[in-house]
Amino acid sequence: MNRPGRPQASVRGARKAWRKGVGAGVLICALVTGCGSGGEEKAVAAKPRPTVTVTATVTATSALLASQVESTVADATGAAKQHGYRVSAHDASEKDASPADDWTVCFEKFGRDSVDFGAVASGAPCPEADGRPIPWPSMPSLVGRTYAGAATAVGKVTDGDVSVKASYKDEGVDGDHDDWKVCFQSPGAGTQVVGDRDVTLWLTEGGCPSAKGTYKDKTNDPDYTPPVAAGSDDSSGSTGSTGTSSSSGGSSSGGAGTTCEIVSNAGNCYNAGQFCRNADVGSSTHAGNGRLIFCRDEGSRNRWNY
């Protein structure tokens, strides 16, 4: 439908002219300025930006290490290094010695990537705390116990050897002596036992002597002199009518006026059956009863005999 008063051809021509003008302007704007802020942003976006590099530092954490307490320093050190730890070791006692490879680890202190071992010499007990004295045990009292009981007690304080001796000179410790009684001990009760200390026990099958080295049978003592019966005049074997030896050098008198050429260390006359000294082997003397006796080598011991 045509509107009156405005020709149709004129309107169409005007629209074409406007479109051409707008199109030319848009083209020029795009080529020259980018046509406002939108174009500027696109231009900036097209410009290359600097590259930013971020470096992260990562610290490695050592793998978890099992406790090395009671291990040797050598074993503990090897295990710790395998887990990536830096290792150090020190004397766990109040002293400042340098730990050896065979020392025993008592304490351990871990850092982020390090471990410090506190150790004591092999065989020593650990102190109550790092840097405290070593609590060496004391020797218990063993006198009066059986050998078996004493040996058990000794084993709790030392790994040293236990040797036995007879309490009496004329009693040997042979065969099974577990039930024998301890009469003397070394070291004594209360002595601090440092390291693997050896122990010596003096035993007896019966009652204990008052001192080590005595004789259970007094007649076995070379210095023992048996009592002489009163009025004894047995002088057979002597060379004088009075029973007195013609040899000089007598230093002690026996019964019935007898003179003994050789006497014991205590100054007493010897009698048949007693032990004699090595220096007297082959010699003779008058016994306490006036009879002549001879010192003879009879195997392990020398004895006076007629």
Side-chain angles (χ1 to χ4, degrees):
M1 178 177 180
N2 294 326
R3 293 181 181 181
R6 190 170 184 180
Q8 184 71 22
S10 298
V11 173
R12 292 179 178 174
R15 288 179 177 174
K16 290 181 179 179
W18 178 82
R19 289 177 180 171
K20 290 182 179 179
V22 171
V26 170
L27 178 60
I28 295 172
C29 176
L31 295 175
V32 178
T33 64
C35 297
S37 60
E40 292 177 357
E41 290 178 358
K42 292 180 180 180
V44 172
K47 185 177 180 179
R49 296 182 179 180
T51 301
V52 178
T53 302
V54 178
T55 302
T57 302
V58 178
T59 303
T61 301
S62 300
L64 184 62
L65 175 67
S67 175
Q68 297 300 305
V69 172
E70 296 185 358
S71 300
T72 64
V73 170
D75 290 344
T77 298
K81 287 184 176 180
Q82 287 181 354
H83 284 72
Y85 287 87
R86 292 181 292 107
V87 183
S88 60
H90 66 276
D91 191 339
S93 73
E94 81 283 13
K95 299 180 181 179
D96 193 25
S98 298
D101 286 345
D102 64 343
W103 281 32
T104 303
V105 174
C106 294
F107 308 100
E108 53 192 9
K109 183 177 181 181
F110 289 92
R112 180 179 179 80
D113 60 350
S114 65
V115 60
D116 182 32
F117 295 120
V120 296
S122 178
C126 291
E128 294 180 358
D130 201 352
R132 298 290 299 276
I134 294 177
W136 293 108
S138 296
M139 180 60 63
S141 176
L142 307 172
V143 174
R145 302 191 189 190
T146 62
Y147 168 76
T152 299
V154 168
K156 294 179 180 180
V157 298
T158 178
D159 290 329
D161 294 332
V162 179
S163 58
V164 296
K165 295 183 178 180
S167 297
Y168 292 99
K169 276 190 173 182
D170 54 347
E171 183 177 46
V173 184
D174 300 321
D176 184 9
H177 48 265
D178 283 352
D179 294 333
W180 285 36
K181 183 188 298 184
V182 177
C183 295
F184 310 97
Q185 69 178 83
S186 178
T191 302
Q192 191 177 56
V193 182
V194 178
D196 295 335
R197 187 164 182 178
D198 295 339
V199 177
T200 303
L201 304 175
W202 283 262
L203 310 178
T204 184
E205 193 172 13
C208 291
S210 58
K212 297 190 292 286
T214 58
Y215 289 87
K216 193 171 187 178
D217 183 353
K218 294 182 179 180
T219 61
N220 291 329
D221 186 351
D223 293 333
Y224 173 73
T225 301
V228 178
S232 173
D233 58 355
D234 184 2
S235 58
S236 60
S238 61
T239 57
S241 60
T242 61
T244 302
S245 171
S246 59
S247 303
S248 60
S251 58
S252 180
S253 298
T258 301
T259 299
C260 308
E261 296 83 358
I262 299 176
V263 295
S264 68
N265 295 335
N268 300 317
C269 295
Y270 283 110
N271 288 282
Q274 288 184 302
F275 294 118
C276 55
R277 296 167 296 219
N278 291 334
D280 296 330
V281 174
S283 301
S284 63
T285 185
H286 284 85
N289 59 9
R291 296 186 62 179
L292 192 64
I293 55 177
F294 300 87
C295 179
R296 296 187 177 92
D297 184 357
E298 296 186 353
S300 60
R301 299 300 296 269
N302 310 316
R303 290 183 183 271
W304 290 104
N305 283 308
Y306 297 116

